[in-house]
Amino acid sequence: YISLILLILGLAFTQVSYAQSSVKISINEFMYDPPSGSEYVELYNYSDTPIDIQGWTLSYNRSTQELITNSSFTIPADSFVVLAPDSSLISNPAYADISLVEVSGFPALNNTGDAIVIQESGGSTIDSVDYSPDWGGSDIALERRSPTANGNFEQNWGDSPDEYGTPGNPNQIPEDVQP
């Protein structure tokens, strides 16, 4: 009887894990509660080589995976791409020159917290973020402090110092320099 209880408790506290990729792309910024306009997710290629995201997927709460693009789309080394449901973001002159991919099935990001998951075509997880509104992000983007630190640590995120965020550009939030 005790073994059964331990088994049930073990299953209750088991976190689903995905095969992690060695690709150096991070979810670098996202807007889940915009004051106006569209939500977005920014990816950052922090490697020294270009990376093609053809066949990659975007999902929330690890549910339905939405294809980012079925065409070849390369993120240059040390560069950004913004994923959004439409092109309204680039109608703002401040963001007219950003690299943007319209994701036709862009999932709505929940204002009460959610998971954002990026997977490559083989199913390996590139990066994921389980965020909460306690992190900030009300009417402002959340920016990542370090692309190499775990994205699920609240301390690795903060409200963008810029009014709307810095989609397609380097983050303005100070990088965490403490070990």
Side-chain angles (χ1 to χ4, degrees):
Y1 182 71
I2 293 175
S3 297
L4 180 59
I5 291 172
L6 291 174
L7 175 65
I8 291 170
L9 286 174
L11 291 175
F13 292 107
T14 301
Q15 193 172 23
V16 177
S17 63
Y18 295 91
Q20 203 64 26
S21 173
S22 62
V23 175
K24 293 182 176 182
I25 295 276
S26 68
I27 298 168
N28 196 56
E29 180 178 323
F30 61 97
M31 172 73 80
Y32 70 86
D33 186 17
S36 63
S38 295
E39 297 177 333
Y40 66 84
V41 173
E42 178 191 74
L43 303 181
Y44 173 45
N45 176 0
Y46 60 94
S47 76
D48 57 2
T49 59
I51 297 174
D52 190 352
I53 62 170
Q54 180 178 8
W56 287 20
T57 59
L58 167 67
S59 61
Y60 66 100
N61 272 340
R62 295 173 182 81
S63 63
T64 306
Q65 297 176 339
E66 298 296 340
L67 185 66
I68 294 171
T69 180
N70 59 6
S71 302
S72 181
F73 188 94
T74 300
I75 306 173
D78 193 32
S79 295
F80 308 89
V81 65
V82 177
L83 311 177
D86 56 48
S87 62
S88 63
L89 190 61
I90 59 176
S91 64
N92 181 329
Y95 310 119
D97 294 332
I98 67 170
S99 180
L100 181 118
V101 174
E102 289 183 54
V103 179
S104 62
F106 190 92
L109 304 175
N110 292 312
N111 294 353
T112 57
D114 217 332
I116 304 169
V117 182
I118 302 292
Q119 292 181 310
E120 61 186 346
S121 59
S124 293
T125 298
I126 300 300
D127 198 14
S128 64
V129 175
D130 290 303
Y131 68 89
S132 160
D134 296 339
W135 293 16
S138 179
D139 293 337
I140 197 163
L142 282 172
E143 292 186 347
R144 191 171 187 161
R145 295 182 189 283
S146 171
T148 58
N150 189 315
N152 289 315
F153 292 135
E154 177 181 353
Q155 297 80 5
N156 196 23
W157 294 90
D159 287 341
S160 172
D162 188 89
E163 189 172 310
Y164 191 73
T166 58
N169 296 289
N171 290 348
Q172 293 179 350
I173 193 167
E175 189 169 338
D176 186 6
V177 293
Q178 295 182 3

